[in-house]
Amino acid sequence: MVDVGTQGTRALAAHTDWAATATGAADQWPAALLAAWDLALDSLVPTALLVGPRRVLLYNDAFAERLGTRHPAAFGCPAQEVLPELWSESHLGGLIDRVLTDGDPFLDADSRVGHLPVGAPETSGVPLLGHHLRTASAVRDGAGAVVAALHVVVETSSSHDRARAVAELATALGTAVTVDDVCKVVLREAVTAFGARTAGICLPSPGPGGWRIARRHRIEDLSPDEERLPLIWSEVPDDLAETVSWAVDEGEVHRSGSGELVVVPLEARAIRAAVVGFREATPLPPSLGTVLSAFTDLVAEALGRAVVYDAERSTAELLQRTLLPPNLPQSDAVSVAARYEPVSEGTVAGGDFYDSFFLPDGRLALVIGDVVGRGVMAATVMGQVRAAVRGAALANSRPEAVMGALDRVVWDLDALWPASLPLGTTRARPGMSFGGELFVTMLYATITPDTGVVEIASAGHPLPALLSGRASRDDGAPRGRLLSMPVGPPLGIAGARPATELVLEVGDMLVAYTDGLLERRGEDLVRGEERLLAVLADVPPSSPRRVAQVVMEAMVPRTGQEDDCAVLTVGRSPAGHRRCSVVVPPMPESVKAARDWARAQLTQWHVDDADQYTIVTGISELITNAVLHAGTESHLTMDLDSGQVSVTVADSGNRGEPLLTGGESMAVRGRGLSLVQAISDAFGSHRTSAGTTVWFEVAVTPAGTTSTLDLPAVGEPVR
């Protein structure tokens, strides 16, 4: 018989029959809960887990000391019975309940719980008196459900920051699905957790040193646009690579004698990696042991999952790159832009699609649609439908004719695809087709660039919005409104889909989208339409590119997005609109060539010297970023429209490969993009099916008319 009163909590846990408790058998615990429990046991500061609806209390030796004589009887019992004062005498119980029910973390500074009677011995049955900083965050299972609250108690300000980083780490990793996502979380938390001036994460590299590293500096404050960009990787110097290899091979933490360098090995599912902290030359704090354990368990597990996910995603990503158009056609009279965002869980391939192409008679066709379901299957059907749209439009471009032809395509796809690969249901039996459950919503329109005449029809698709320019908007009328037009049945369901005709005036813009832009859990689509119109009412006069970006950023939640969504914007440009474009090779000398080309074009457009300097500076930063970090050619485009110059730099770099740059590349990149954002009137970035696109806009006052200079033609490389 074990005398639990003399045993530590690790031994106590080893002799606990977990299957007889509310937590269930330990071998059935989620991986995140097991990792959090190991973290608590190894922690040097008081750490506890409150598990499940009954708040079963598990804790480490440091926490046991604070319980006094309540330990060991408190172990494995409901926390509300063991520590009633947390719920009856303070607000902490309510905060813990919110963590368990809603997943909301909290940080409560200088809490004072457990009023020790005067003269009472410290072995009394109440927690030790003192000023504590308490923090708790949710521990989630693989499905994202909260299974426990990780509760840490610290007493000093330095330990407070580290404990908060530990408590938030599990929550942050719960939404990180790709290797890039996990590495961003690690870098963000490691700066605080390690007390480091710079944190880095190392992954294997085919380079000579064998390791690549991404860094984040303590002084960096990246904007949301910069946070969304992929990480920048550089080769690890030989001396650091040797230290990293030793730590990973031996499975031991490396600490330099002066405390300037800490290397924590990570290994899970045969994944080799390491977290590196570059610190000031100060002794390592005792609480760092908690941080090391957290990174070893939580980060390694998350990184292992992410590597598997990235491997499975590569096929879907390649598919998506071939199905959505990397570029949309443009003209001096009409501008087109699009944005696509997958669900927040990281799905790359989906059923949402868009397209735009010129018809033989000079009109521009616009398409946006949504195949029921998501994933590779939906994307495959989407690609076939999108290709069929082009074929049908070339045969007969009238909206009714195009959609009638697509009905037959969807019927054929419904009959041909095997039932073992259903889109949105598992009801079909082997050997059957989709059974009529495959359908597609779509909006199809044609626009005559010179006159702005639009013919548009909807097959079960959400109504597009019309963003009116100054010239076509009556006083007091709303700037944005939904088009009033008939909506026919989705493709694959027979029925009439009559076309509506309207005229886009100069400055007007048509904004089409898929239903993922409007949908929210527990909210009807009418409320989503109201939110969209409110966003459009505040959009300043600008380009279709900027409107698409503003709408997507305002409407799509940062987390919890439940469906893919796409936005397609088209607008009529005023007279005098100018556009030029060049291809920039991935060579250092291309930066100067691009600057010279841009300066010559801006001079031709009669842009004054001050505005030229601003625009050329921004171009220099973006081209430098593309040359250093993308490793592929980039497309530089400039537009002059209504006293505004828009610049776009689009690359097709494979961000998964190591990008060989200087050791301080992350800081350089942050400063460069921040500079572009500071000097421009509008700035944005997003991933496309072809790579990454970064753009900015600057208001200018060109005078006079332009003449043709001997400049490279559209698409011609800069030399």
Side-chain angles (χ1 to χ4, degrees), residues 320 324 337-342 351-355 367-370 461-462 511-518 548 551-552 556 561 563-569:
Q320 193 76 8
L324 289 179
R339 285 288 304 273
Y340 170 81
E341 288 291 339
D352 292 22
F353 65 96
Y354 59 84
D355 200 0
V367 185
I368 187 167
D370 186 4
H461 202 78
V511 181
Y513 48 87
T514 56
D515 57 7
L517 189 75
L518 306 180
V551 168
M552 191 68 80
V556 176
Q561 183 186 342
D563 196 6
D564 303 341
C565 61
V567 174
L568 180 68
T569 54

Side-chain angles (χ1 to χ4, degrees), residues 544-558:
R545 182 193 305 109
R546 186 179 181 188
V547 170
Q549 171 117 349
V550 169
V551 168
M552 191 68 80
E553 290 184 349
M555 295 290 292
V556 176
R558 296 292 184 189

Side-chain angles (χ1 to χ4, degrees), residues 13 41 68 100 110 113 196 223 245 248 258 270 300 451 487 567 577 603 620 666 693:
L41 288 175
L100 289 168
D110 201 30
V113 180
S223 70
S245 296
V248 173
S258 60
T451 64
V487 177
V567 174
H577 174 252
T603 299
S620 180
M666 188 67 181
T693 295

Side-chain angles (χ1 to χ4, degrees), residues 23-379:
T23 65
D27 58 1
Q28 300 298 316
W29 290 4
L33 181 58
L34 287 170
W37 177 226
D38 288 338
L39 165 65
L41 288 175
D42 292 338
S43 175
L44 298 180
V45 298
T47 307
L49 278 172
L50 292 87
V51 184
R54 298 194 63 195
R55 313 176 192 88
V56 175
L57 184 64
L58 313 178
Y59 49 84
N60 64 358
D61 292 338
F63 198 95
E65 294 178 3
R66 313 205 69 79
L67 289 175
T69 58
R70 299 187 189 188
H71 173 72
F75 194 85
C77 294
Q80 197 162 359
E81 298 176 7
V82 176
L83 301 168
E85 62 272 13
L86 291 183
W87 279 263
S88 63
E89 301 177 18
S90 79
H91 61 289
L92 290 172
L95 294 176
I96 291 174
D97 287 345
R98 285 181 59 188
V99 175
L100 289 168
T101 56
D102 301 328
D104 295 337
F106 75 85
L107 178 65
D108 188 71
D110 201 30
S111 63
R112 190 178 180 88
V113 180
H115 301 283
L116 195 65
V118 177
E122 291 187 348
T123 56
S124 63
V126 297
L128 290 179
L129 179 65
H131 293 275
H132 308 117
L133 184 144
R134 296 172 180 266
T135 180
S137 63
V139 178
R140 300 177 184 269
D141 61 18
V146 178
V147 295
L150 179 65
H151 181 38
V152 181
V153 183
V154 292
E155 297 183 17
T156 66
S157 58
S158 60
S159 295
H160 148 238
D161 289 339
R162 295 185 179 88
R164 180 172 60 182
V166 170
E168 293 176 350
L169 185 65
T171 300
L173 290 175
T175 58
V177 294
T178 68
V179 170
D180 199 71
D181 292 338
V182 171
C183 291
K184 287 179 181 178
V185 171
V186 172
L187 292 174
R188 186 169 60 246
E189 302 296 339
V191 171
T192 300
F194 283 66
R197 55 182 173 81
T198 303
I201 184 164
C202 298
L203 296 177
S205 166
W211 294 97
R212 54 180 171 135
I213 187 171
R215 304 172 185 246
R216 180 150 184 171
H217 303 277
R218 183 170 57 200
I219 62 174
E220 280 187 301
D221 184 17
L222 301 183
S223 70
D225 288 315
E226 294 161 353
E227 288 279 12
R228 283 194 293 270
L229 289 174
L231 289 174
I232 299 303
W233 296 89
S234 60
E235 287 294 323
V236 175
D238 292 342
D239 54 346
L240 179 58
E242 184 177 348
T243 302
V244 171
S245 296
W246 177 89
V248 173
D249 291 341
E250 299 296 326
E252 297 184 14
V253 175
H254 169 82
R255 304 175 178 88
S256 64
S258 60
E260 289 181 302
L261 178 66
V262 179
V263 181
V264 183
L266 307 171
E267 189 163 359
R269 305 186 190 183
I271 302 304
R272 289 163 54 88
V275 178
V276 181
F278 301 92
R279 309 175 65 256
E280 306 293 343
T282 57
L284 297 174
S287 60
L288 192 58
T290 300
V291 176
L292 301 185
S293 178
F295 275 82
T296 300
D297 295 333
L298 299 177
V299 176
E301 177 66 24
L303 197 58
R305 293 195 309 267
V307 169
V308 173
Y309 173 84
D310 279 356
E312 295 175 347
R313 188 182 66 161
S314 60
T315 300
E317 186 173 32
L318 178 62
L319 177 65
Q320 193 76 8
R321 283 174 179 263
T322 62
L323 295 180
L324 289 179
N327 297 294
L328 295 173
Q330 310 286 336
S331 72
D332 286 344
V334 174
S335 294
V336 185
R339 285 288 304 273
Y340 170 81
E341 288 291 339
V343 294
S344 57
E345 286 79 7
T347 303
V348 175
D352 292 22
F353 65 96
Y354 59 84
D355 200 0
S356 180
F357 50 92
F358 280 108
L359 297 168
D361 60 7
R363 288 179 300 156
L364 187 65
L366 304 167
V367 185
I368 187 167
D370 186 4
V371 177
V372 63
R374 66 177 61 165
V376 175
M377 274 294 298

Side-chain angles (χ1 to χ4, degrees), residues 281-626:
T282 57
L284 297 174
S287 60
L288 192 58
T290 300
V291 176
L292 301 185
S293 178
F295 275 82
T296 300
D297 295 333
L298 299 177
V299 176
E301 177 66 24
L303 197 58
R305 293 195 309 267
V307 169
V308 173
Y309 173 84
D310 279 356
E312 295 175 347
R313 188 182 66 161
S314 60
T315 300
E317 186 173 32
L318 178 62
L319 177 65
Q320 193 76 8
R321 283 174 179 263
T322 62
L323 295 180
L324 289 179
N327 297 294
L328 295 173
Q330 310 286 336
S331 72
D332 286 344
V334 174
S335 294
V336 185
R339 285 288 304 273
Y340 170 81
E341 288 291 339
V343 294
S344 57
E345 286 79 7
T347 303
V348 175
D352 292 22
F353 65 96
Y354 59 84
D355 200 0
S356 180
F357 50 92
F358 280 108
L359 297 168
D361 60 7
R363 288 179 300 156
L364 187 65
L366 304 167
V367 185
I368 187 167
D370 186 4
V371 177
V372 63
R374 66 177 61 165
V376 175
M377 274 294 298
T380 303
V381 174
M382 173 266 284
Q384 292 173 298
V385 171
R386 176 174 163 255
V389 172
R390 290 197 172 214
L394 290 176
N396 188 335
S397 62
R398 290 187 305 106
E400 300 95 323
V402 170
M403 291 185 173
L406 291 176
D407 274 335
R408 293 188 292 273
V409 172
V410 174
W411 292 334
D412 290 342
L413 289 174
D414 179 81
L416 291 175
W417 277 94
S420 58
L421 298 173
L423 280 178
T425 178
T426 58
R427 289 191 295 149
R429 296 187 299 275
M432 296 176 61
S433 69
F434 287 133
E437 295 184 359
L438 172 63
F439 64 89
V440 181
T441 70
M442 192 181 79
L443 199 71
Y444 172 86
T446 62
I447 179 171
T448 304
D450 294 337
T451 64
V453 174
V454 176
E455 272 193 298
I456 185 169
S458 172
H461 202 78
L463 293 173
L466 179 63
L467 187 62
S468 299
R470 291 195 181 100
S472 61
R473 187 171 70 250
D474 296 331
D475 291 340
R479 180 143 190 264
R481 60 181 176 86
L482 297 179
L483 281 184
S484 178
M485 57 178 290
V487 177
L491 301 177
I493 302 176
R497 306 174 186 97
T500 298
E501 184 173 304
L502 67 145
V503 176
L504 274 186
E505 302 291 348
V506 171
D508 287 356
M509 202 173 301
L510 194 65
V511 181
Y513 48 87
T514 56
D515 57 7
L517 189 75
L518 306 180
E519 291 177 340
R520 296 290 182 276
R521 187 184 298 272
E523 179 181 283
D524 59 29
L525 289 180
V526 173
R527 175 59 186 142
E529 291 173 346
E530 292 173 349
R531 285 189 289 107
L532 174 61
L533 293 178
V535 171
L536 294 177
D538 294 332
V539 173
S542 53
S543 64
R545 182 193 305 109
R546 186 179 181 188
V547 170
Q549 171 117 349
V550 169
V551 168
M552 191 68 80
E553 290 184 349
M555 295 290 292
V556 176
R558 296 292 184 189
T559 60
Q561 183 186 342
E562 299 177 3
D563 196 6
D564 303 341
C565 61
V567 174
L568 180 68
T569 54
V570 56
R572 283 192 70 196
S573 304
H577 174 252
R578 298 290 184 269
R579 172 179 287 112
C580 58
S581 179
V582 291
V583 179
V584 182
M587 299 180 295
E589 55 267 30
S590 297
V591 179
K592 181 180 184 302
R595 286 199 304 262
D596 293 343
W597 174 86
R599 190 174 288 109
Q601 181 64 73
L602 293 170
T603 299
Q604 177 189 2
W605 291 346
H606 298 275
V607 175
D608 65 34
D609 291 343
D611 289 332
Q612 280 195 35
Y613 179 80
T614 300
I615 296 167
V616 171
T617 298
I619 289 174
S620 180
E621 293 293 341
L622 296 190
I623 296 297
T624 299
N625 187 67

